[in-house]
Amino acid sequence: MRSRFSKLRPLGRRILPSQLRQCASVPAAELQFGQPLHETHPHLLKAGELTPGITALEYAQRRSKLAAKLPKDAIAILAASEVKYRSGAVFYQFHQESNFFYLTGFNEPDAVAVIGKSVDGDDHTFHLFVREKDAKAEQWDGVRSGTRAALDIFNADETGDINKISNLLAPIVRGASTIYTDLISEPKNQKSFFPRFLHEQSSKAEGLAKVLESSNILPLKDVVNDVRNLKSDGEIANMRKVGQASGRAYTDAMRQAWATEKDLAAYLDFRFKTRGCDCSAYIPVVAGGQNASIIHYTQNDHLLIDGQMVLVDAGGEFGGYITDITRTWPISGAFAPAQKDLYNAVLTTQRHCISLCRANANVSLDELHNVAETGLKDQLKQLGFDMSRNALGTLFPHHLGHYVGLDVHDTPGQSRKTKLQPRQCVTIEPGLYIPNTEAYPAHFRGMGIRIEDSVCVQEEHPLVLTTEAVKEVDDIEALRI
């Protein structure tokens, strides 16, 4: 079967006859781009999808929504992530900047997107500046999509070589009424704009700096957060898929006995991938015994000892989307009486808070946190804890939850004081961490328990995205029978 390059265009860009001659028919299997596409990876993407689960049309609609929030003749400038190096020539796995990825679907480094609203305010222009094709560089560092694909695959209106970015960007900036960007950390320090993506000579960079100095520059993140806040059907489906795969990996892990934190961490990473995730979403917490009291414990190098519990905070990633899960279970497979009591205190509180993740409950994340504090305090009193003064601040030191989506802590800076709305996705993660001191009942000392699910808010009831990770005491214990 043979395919024309022009047929890859998801939104149907017009191609001139001279360009068609340059895009002579080639076998579909020989087409190569800097990321998977349906034509090259039909096992990963469906027809019409630009990234797994998300169509080219949806990316275009996202840009339209962003442009609608901008003043007339304003532009938004975003940059892709750079390749980050661990040491010398050893690089980390590439992870795209989330806002850039959300608006473009382009998953390569060293790129700039400019979304400009027209003077009449009824339309917008999408510029995508990328690395040009380079056979020698691609032999060493992998295939690039190039400027032709920026037009035909990613539906840019205009494109250009990122190595000429200052010449390409200067006239766009000069003609804008307002510039929205997060690339400039301080409005008076325009040079902070450059290191992310500018690869030309300093003299040309200084020319762009002079243009920027006279521009009206505002932060972009709040505008993008408004667009990213409510998840689409495709986004929710991706998060449900990765939540299901990750949850089943957890349940697989609970069925087995583990001798070390490292072995359990490695198993989860393996099972996330074999169950359909692209990778782990973040460095996992695999914390046995008192290590569970360290909220972001990632050493994962201790022994797991029968009689203690292990707290695991991990999750997979699919198509850029993640779900965040924490489970705590007994290393032996059976809860001791005190472990069961403290565990059920956390679980009862978590179940109640999840039940309120619906629009008609009219609550915010901050208000849910207050509900969790009240619930945990009441549960602890029944277990014999002295809850005077600020005891709960020590035993439950973190917030109940955060937004989740493309990022573990999604839409950073978004207030947790606003009421939850349908299509928002959040985590609900109460926890108790008991210091090993005489201030607390002896049979609970040294325990750390957290139970976390990712939840999609709906109008009348919550959609738990991670329900396959078992969490009832009877269900956990039954896995070893």
Side-chain angles (χ1 to χ4, degrees):
M1 179 178 178
R2 303 179 75 79
S3 170
R4 283 189 181 274
F5 183 82
S6 59
K7 288 184 179 178
L8 294 173
R9 296 173 286 118
L11 297 186
R13 174 175 299 282
R14 180 173 177 266
I15 296 287
L16 299 175
S18 60
Q19 294 169 332
L20 282 175
R21 287 195 295 273
Q22 296 171 11
C23 302
S25 293
V26 296
E30 293 181 13
L31 295 172
Q32 291 186 311
F33 302 93
Q35 66 192 74
L37 300 172
H38 169 68
E39 286 75 9
T40 60
H41 294 69
H43 58 295
L44 297 180
L45 292 94
K46 298 176 183 176
E49 291 180 348
L50 193 54
T51 61
I54 308 297
T55 64
L57 177 60
E58 180 167 334
Y59 281 107
Q61 291 169 337
R62 293 172 178 181
R63 294 190 290 272
S64 293
K65 288 178 183 178
L66 177 72
K69 295 181 178 293
L70 301 179
K72 293 180 180 180
D73 214 20
I75 61 172
I77 305 177
L78 305 97
S81 295
E82 296 176 319
V83 174
K84 295 180 173 62
Y85 288 86
R86 180 174 176 174
S87 63
V90 179
F91 49 83
Y92 288 104
Q93 181 177 353
F94 179 73
H95 185 80
Q96 187 60 281
E97 199 280 324
S98 297
N99 287 338
F100 182 92
F101 183 75
Y102 180 84
L103 292 165
T104 68
F106 189 75
N107 204 21
E108 296 180 39
D110 300 333
V112 171
V114 182
I115 300 167
K117 189 164 186 175
S118 62
V119 177
D120 59 21
D122 293 330
D123 201 359
H124 71 276
T125 302
F126 172 38
H127 303 258
L128 183 59
F129 305 115
V130 302
R131 301 175 303 174
E132 190 52 280
K133 300 287 288 182
D134 181 330
K136 186 174 182 179
E138 291 177 63
Q139 181 182 14
W140 282 93
D141 299 323
V143 178
R144 301 176 178 182
S145 293
T147 54
R148 182 72 258 169
L151 298 172
D152 296 337
I153 306 299
F154 298 93
N155 297 295
D157 298 297
E158 304 290 343
T159 189
D161 185 346
I162 190 68
N163 289 309
K164 301 176 182 177
I165 185 63
S166 67
N167 288 340
L168 294 167
L169 197 55
I172 300 172
V173 169
R174 192 177 293 114
S177 62
T178 309
I179 299 169
Y180 287 81
T181 187
D182 297 320
L183 299 175
I184 300 173
S185 56
E186 299 177 19
K188 294 182 180 180
N189 181 20
Q190 263 64 354
K191 288 194 176 180
S192 65
F193 187 74
F194 302 134
R196 297 282 309 270
F197 60 84
L198 198 61
H199 305 297
E200 291 194 313
Q201 299 139 5
S202 59
S203 60
K204 293 182 180 178
E206 288 172 5
L208 179 57
K210 290 179 180 178
V211 177
L212 287 166
E213 285 173 3
S214 59
S215 300
N216 181 28
I217 299 172
L218 296 174
L220 176 62
K221 74 173 184 178
D222 289 341
V223 184
V224 181
N225 280 354
D226 283 345
V227 180
R228 285 178 57 180
N229 179 31
L230 305 183
K231 305 302 187 258
S232 69
D233 288 346
E235 291 180 289
I236 294 169
N238 275 359
M239 294 177 70
R240 179 68 186 103
K241 179 173 181 175
V242 73
Q244 183 181 67
S246 301
R248 287 175 174 169
Y250 265 87
T251 300
D252 292 342
M254 291 184 207
R255 287 191 173 96
Q256 303 180 49
W258 298 98
T260 70
E261 295 170 346
K262 181 180 71 173
D263 289 348
L264 176 50
Y267 178 81
L268 282 169
D269 182 67
F270 167 73
R271 292 304 282 159
F272 289 159
K273 293 173 183 175
T274 57
R275 283 196 170 275
C277 301
D278 299 327
C279 58
S280 290
Y282 49 91
I283 298 173
V285 172
V286 181
Q290 280 191 253
N291 293 333
S293 292
I294 303 171
I295 309 302
H296 290 153
Y297 171 84
T298 57
Q299 233 175 290
N300 301 340
D301 61 0
H302 279 70
L303 296 176
L304 295 175
I305 300 170
D306 275 356
Q308 296 182 344
M309 293 184 291
V310 59
L311 183 156
V312 177
D313 185 342
E317 177 180 315
F318 173 75
Y321 290 86
I322 69 99
T323 44
D324 197 355
I325 310 175
T326 304
R327 292 291 185 266
T328 309
W329 68 90
I331 293 165
S332 66
F335 287 89
Q339 292 172 345
K340 185 182 296 186
D341 288 342
L342 197 66
Y343 183 90
N344 278 328
V346 177
L347 181 59
T348 299
T349 301
Q350 200 230 14
R351 281 199 301 249
H352 179 52
C353 290
I354 286 177
S355 74
L356 297 175
C357 290
R358 45 190 169 84
N360 61 10
N362 196 36
V363 295
S364 66
L365 274 176
D366 276 353
E367 288 168 334
L368 277 180
H369 179 78
N370 293 336
V371 170
E373 286 191 324
T374 299
L376 290 173
K377 188 178 293 186
D378 290 344
Q379 296 280 330
L380 289 170
K381 284 180 180 178
Q382 294 176 36
L383 294 175
F385 281 76
D386 177 2
M387 299 307 296
S388 61
R389 295 184 290 275
N390 188 34
L392 194 63
T394 298
L395 301 175
F396 179 37
H398 58 77
H399 200 281
L400 174 71
H402 53 79
Y403 304 104
V404 67
L406 280 174
D407 291 312
V408 179
H409 288 251
D410 207 48
T411 55
Q414 184 178 349
S415 174
R416 289 190 267 211
K417 297 182 183 300
T418 56
K419 304 295 185 183
L420 294 178
Q421 304 174 61
R423 295 184 176 275
Q424 281 186 314
C425 294
V426 298
T427 66
I428 300 297
E429 49 181 306
L432 288 172
Y433 314 90
I434 315 303
N436 194 7
T437 69
E438 293 183 359
Y440 305 99
H443 41 296
F444 296 116
R445 293 173 194 167
M447 292 186 191
I449 297 171
R450 184 164 67 251
I451 307 172
E452 175 186 21
D453 284 287
S454 296
V455 182
C456 181
V457 178
Q458 299 186 127
E459 186 62 44
E460 297 181 354
H461 56 84
L463 170 62
V464 180
L465 301 167
T466 49
T467 188
E468 282 77 10
V470 301
K471 61 183 179 182
E472 299 294 330
V473 167
D474 290 345
D475 292 337
I476 292 172
E477 292 185 334
L479 292 172
R480 300 280 187 93
I481 295 175

